[in-house]
Amino acid sequence: MPPPAEPPRISGTAEETSPTVTQRLKALPKPALVAAAVAVALGGGLLVASLAVDSAVAQGTTVLGVDIGGLGTDEAREKLAAELPELTDDPLQVYVGEVPEDAADPRLVVPSETGLSVDVDATVDRADTPGLFGRLFGGDGGPVQPVTALDEERGRAAMEELAEATGTEHTEGGVAFVDGEVEITEPGSGASLDVDGALERLRETFLTAEASAPVSLPVTAAQPAVDEAEVERAVNEFARPAMSGPVRLAVDDRELEITPAMISPYLTMEADDDGTLVPRLDGEGLAEDDAVLAAVDEVNRPALNARLAVRDGGVVVTSDARDGVEVETGDLGDQIMPLLTNPEGSRSGRATVTTTEPELTRENVDQLGVVEQMSSFTVTFDPAPYRTTNIGRAVELINGSVVAPGERWSFNETVGERTEENGFVEGIIILNDQYQTAQGGGVSAVATTMFNAVFFAGVKPVEYGAHSFYIERYPEGREATVAWGSLDNSFENDSDHSIYISATSDDSSVTISFLGTKKYDEVEAVTGERTNVVEPGTREAVADDCVPQPPLEGFDVMVERVFRNGGDEVGREEFTTRYTPRDEVVCEPGGD
């Protein structure tokens, strides 16, 4: 029978015209309905399972043997943070540079002290990777390689300390000068730890199989800036010629010799930015060197005044003046440096000098008012070799002194310290009210002669002092002694003209004369009576330098200096001296 005709379509709403869900399900075949039901059930189960295990680490997951399988990520982090430090802080064996064949004596680096550790968060994130079906159907995570963390600041500090302890400095080639000889330093390369490379190498090997074996840390090589070729050039072109012989500088008619031994302490060769050795001479240090100053003193020539004498009542010139020559040491370095590379025979130059003029010349004697003898005094003494030497040396230093108007003359400044180096020998002096031996004994005879020359010239004594007890060969109340550093014998030229001091001596006398223009026609000494007389005592002395001493009374005495012009007295001064008793000293033999 044919199917009934399709009813006609009627327009209206979708609800009225579309089949319902129930109608559609009923229209499906039964097997399809069963499959759909199973799929819905399974999908729901997976969703529930996924929600249940999403925050858990896969079963069987371990990190360096620490089992975190099945733990939530927070629990896994806590467990790893607690247990891994003890497992990961074993010292690492390292070598700076290549690992030696015997791998002996490695350096040990403690990871935690080098900024190395495990990044727990990153490691747990790495472990939580299995998929949903793997978790549901028995898949496990297995061992997970931990993620390494590095504290850069701490690690760099540790590597820099290791670099300082293990680095080998490169040796710069060099040339030095010692005691007039050339000393060569051969260049050599060095090596130091590459700090950045070492940190990267430790990060790579930390917690890996490589960490169980010695680890080679990279190094950087350091090459000297001054190489062998530059050292050889510097030696041949400068150093050896510089030390080949003395440099000679002309000083007037003499020669200043500066030896290699004098030069070497102040000569250097320093490398510039290009590694070229450049010579430098410390001219200031050279000029202050004791040996150089001694050589300069030998060629310096002080100005000499014209020598005068009194003849037939007038002053005559016995020898002409001479200019002085003094080396200017400030530019010694500039004078010497260009000559150092010259060959022998052409290592000579000319020193810079200053010429000094004498105060008194044949031409200016009259202008200075040195026209007559103002005073002259002589002291006699018992001949003795030490007296002849010491008095003669003092006279040599005093003779020819010129004292300008208003100027002060000093015995100590003119004669200098009485030492062996200054030409004086040991002799008898008075110390602590007793004769003793010391350098310069006998010089008091010159001091006494000078005091009396000052006295009778009518000029002003400034500093003077008598002996502690009286010495019979000297005029009482008009004698003087000197002591270096404590007692001087000086005067001021308070005349209107210059004074020339003439000093001479022989084996038994010393004479000092003042030449100039007299202040007074006559100067007279009036000596009073002795007062306050004190008798001496007796002392015994036991000493290697004991000198027997005869007794003499102590006393006070006053001497008046009387000035006259045209026969009339125009002034008077008093000089009072107190002498202590001179005890008798008996020298006893020394004990054992």
Side-chain angles (χ1 to χ4, degrees), residues 18 214 231 254 275:
S18 299
V231 170
R254 283 161 297 169

Side-chain angles (χ1 to χ4, degrees), residues 31 300 473 477 493 501:
N300 280 344
R473 64 177 173 269
N493 178 7
I501 302 176

Side-chain angles (χ1 to χ4, degrees), residues 175-535:
V175 176
F177 305 91
V178 180
D179 296 330
E181 301 291 335
V182 179
E183 287 195 354
I184 299 172
T185 300
E186 298 292 346
S189 59
S192 61
L193 179 68
D194 179 354
V195 172
D196 291 332
L199 283 176
E200 185 59 31
R201 179 66 177 144
L202 289 173
R203 186 201 294 265
E204 291 171 354
T205 57
F206 180 49
L207 303 179
T208 66
E210 289 183 77
S212 61
V215 177
S216 171
L217 301 181
V219 295
T220 56
Q223 298 298 329
V226 180
D227 58 19
E228 292 182 6
E230 174 56 19
V231 170
E232 184 177 1
R233 181 205 65 79
V235 168
N236 292 334
E237 293 182 9
F238 180 82
R240 286 204 177 104
M243 296 290 103
S244 63
V247 170
R248 295 179 173 88
L249 301 177
V251 181
D252 201 12
D253 57 349
R254 283 161 297 169
E255 199 171 61
L256 172 62
E257 183 176 278
I258 306 297
T259 66
M262 296 176 186
I263 297 170
S264 59
Y266 310 100
L267 186 62
T268 58
M269 298 198 77
E270 300 175 3
D272 63 13
D273 294 339
D274 298 326
T276 301
L277 289 173
V278 179
R280 290 183 174 83
L281 179 61
D282 176 8
E284 184 176 341
L286 180 68
E288 295 175 354
D289 183 85
D290 289 341
V292 172
L293 289 176
V296 167
D297 285 342
E298 289 182 4
V299 297
N300 280 344
R301 186 175 66 189
L304 290 182
N305 290 317
R307 297 292 179 172
L308 308 180
V310 176
R311 290 179 185 168
D312 301 326
V315 174
V316 297
V317 177
T318 59
S319 63
D320 285 323
R322 184 189 68 189
D323 288 345
V325 176
E326 184 173 329
V327 174
E328 290 287 347
T329 58
D331 66 350
L332 266 181
D334 295 335
Q335 298 294 328
I336 291 171
M337 189 68 173
L339 302 173
L340 291 180
T341 53
N342 289 358
E344 184 63 33
S346 59
R347 298 169 66 84
S348 299
R350 181 166 292 277
T352 302
V353 300
T354 298
T355 301
T356 56
E357 296 182 354
E359 297 176 83
L360 187 68
T361 66
R362 181 183 293 272
E363 293 72 26
N364 70 3
V365 168
D366 291 341
Q367 296 173 359
L368 296 178
V370 184
V371 296
E372 61 184 336
Q373 181 171 288
M374 301 173 70
S375 66
S376 185
F377 196 80
T378 299
V379 168
T380 59
F381 49 82
D382 294 334
Y386 78 87
R387 287 197 181 105
T388 300
T389 298
N390 292 338
I391 291 173
R393 176 57 176 158
V395 162
E396 176 187 3
L397 295 167
I398 291 170
N399 186 41
S401 296
V402 176
V403 188
E407 190 173 74
R408 174 181 172 272
W409 183 91
S410 162
F411 188 101
N412 281 340
E413 291 176 7
T414 304
V415 174
E417 187 173 3
R418 273 67 78 186
T419 62
E420 183 177 353
E421 293 76 16
N422 194 22
F424 293 89
V425 297
E426 192 174 79
I428 297 176
I429 66 168
I430 298 174
L431 182 64
N432 298 325
D433 297 333
Q434 181 177 325
Y435 285 129
Q436 295 186 28
T437 56
Q439 295 293 127
V443 169
S444 63
V446 184
T448 292
T449 308
M450 176 61 71
F451 179 82
N452 280 273
V454 169
F455 187 97
F456 290 106
V459 293
K460 179 182 177 181
V462 175
E463 182 178 355
Y464 60 94
H467 291 86
S468 57
F469 53 72
Y470 179 56
I471 300 174
E472 294 89 325
R473 64 177 173 269
Y474 299 146
E476 58 187 66
R478 292 196 340 263
E479 49 87 19
T481 187
V482 285
W484 180 258
S486 60
L487 179 60
D488 199 3
N489 184 352
S490 63
F491 71 92
E492 178 186 332
N493 178 7
D494 58 353
S495 75
D496 295 329
H497 304 279
S498 292
I499 294 175
Y500 176 89
I501 302 176
S502 171
T504 60
S505 67
D506 55 28
D507 290 345
S508 60
S509 68
V510 52
T511 299
I512 293 179
S513 301
F514 279 22
L515 309 183
T517 299
K518 289 183 177 182
K519 289 183 65 178
Y520 307 99
D521 293 341
E522 183 183 359
V523 178
E524 180 184 359
V526 178
T527 304
E529 298 293 327
R530 295 181 180 183
T531 61
N532 300 322
V533 177
V534 179
E535 294 301 320

